[in-house]
Amino acid sequence: MVRTATCPICQKSLTKADGTTSEHIPFCSKRCQQADLYRWFAGKYAIVEDLDPERLAQEMFQAEDQTDTGE
Ligand SMILES: [Zn+2]
């Protein structure tokens, strides 16, 4: 029985089309790795069903904007 490892963020297979495995295990990409790090850091995605990396990336940008509120 073969278990295919999948990315916990986007559920994509960690095995690429050319047969090699992601270098960002257990994530499929650096982007998902960062998304997971952010999720853990923010703590507000502890329980969430379908994580959307696109949305996470958006919120990451918004969080960066918020550090800039000087005026
Ligand atoms: Zn992924």
Side-chain angles (χ1 to χ4, degrees):
M1 177 170 161
V2 178
R3 271 188 67 184
T4 307
T6 54
C7 173
I9 300 298
C10 67
Q11 313 303 321
K12 270 188 349 196
S13 172
L14 299 186
T15 305
K16 299 175 188 172
D18 61 4
T20 60
T21 307
S22 165
E23 57 265 44
H24 301 286
I25 283 178
F27 307 102
C28 70
S29 65
K30 190 170 186 182
R31 192 177 179 189
C32 283
Q33 191 176 39
Q34 290 177 333
D36 185 75
L37 185 69
Y38 173 76
R39 180 182 65 164
W40 179 86
F41 195 69
K44 60 180 175 178
Y45 292 110
I47 303 171
V48 67
E49 306 86 59
D50 293 315
L51 267 178
D52 183 353
E54 298 289 337
R55 200 181 116 204
L56 270 177
Q58 260 186 353
E59 299 210 9
M60 283 169 81
F61 283 127
Q62 285 170 4
E64 280 170 17
D65 286 346
Q66 285 169 11
T67 64
D68 207 21
T69 51
E71 324 186 79

